[in-house]
């Protein structure tokens, strides 16, 4: 089993920045790709960004150039630096980790972009 705990969400004004963190614990050996997904109000969960163990990254078109995903394998932690935030970025953000073909999810952290 893998436990994922997110932190760093909150309320921010348009144009502002936030940094999300997600720490993995438990059976962290063999964790591969990690990522961030989000679920806007009334919508389905969607991909934000993923990062492989070798730090190859993939981003949704809507966040390219504004968000940066990174990871620290020694700390089993993945980060999401979010800049130039827009109201459309408002969502619950979920951390995801893939271990031996099994996906694990965090509990989610709320990000609200509003003036």
């Amino acid at each position: 089993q893998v436990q994922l705990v997110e932190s760093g969400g909150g309320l921010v004004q348009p144009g502002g920045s936030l940094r999300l963190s997600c720490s993995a614990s438990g059976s962290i050996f063999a964790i591969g790709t990690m990522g961030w997904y989000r679920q806007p109000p009334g919508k389905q969960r969607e991909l934000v960004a993923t990062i492989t163990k070798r730090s190859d990254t993939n981003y949704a078109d809507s966040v390219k150039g504004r968000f940066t995903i990174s990871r620290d394998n020694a700390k089993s932690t993945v980060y999401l630096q979010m800049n130039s935030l827009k109201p459309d970025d408002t969502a619950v953000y979920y951390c995801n980790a893939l271990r031996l073909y099994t996906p694990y999810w965090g509990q989610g952290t709320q990000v609200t972009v509003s003036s």
Side-chain angles (χ1 to χ4, degrees):
Q1 291 289 337
V2 175
Q3 294 79 44
L4 301 172
V5 178
E6 301 108 332
S7 61
L11 173 65
V12 63
Q13 292 187 342
S17 298
L18 280 177
R19 189 192 194 207
L20 305 183
S21 300
C22 171
S23 295
S25 61
S27 300
I28 60 175
F29 177 76
I31 286 179
T33 298
M34 300 183 75
W36 291 94
Y37 291 72
R38 67 186 182 187
Q39 187 164 14
K43 297 183 179 180
Q44 292 188 337
R45 193 174 298 189
E46 61 186 21
L47 168 74
V48 176
T50 60
I51 184 167
T52 68
K53 205 164 186 178
R54 300 177 184 177
S55 294
D56 295 322
T57 59
N58 179 54
Y59 295 93
D61 288 344
S62 59
V63 306
K64 281 181 181 176
R66 301 188 298 122
F67 290 11
T68 302
I69 189 171
S70 60
R71 69 189 285 172
D72 184 333
N73 291 327
K75 295 182 179 179
S76 300
T77 300
V78 62
Y79 306 95
L80 186 69
Q81 178 66 43
M82 305 185 293
N83 299 328
S84 303
L85 282 161
K86 306 174 181 179
D88 284 350
D89 295 318
T90 295
V92 178
Y93 283 70
Y94 295 91
C95 177
N96 171 272
L98 192 63
R99 181 183 182 275
L100 301 178
Y101 306 108
T102 299
Y104 294 88
W105 295 93
Q107 81 286 352
T109 185
Q110 177 70 46
V111 171
T112 302
V113 184
S114 175
S115 55

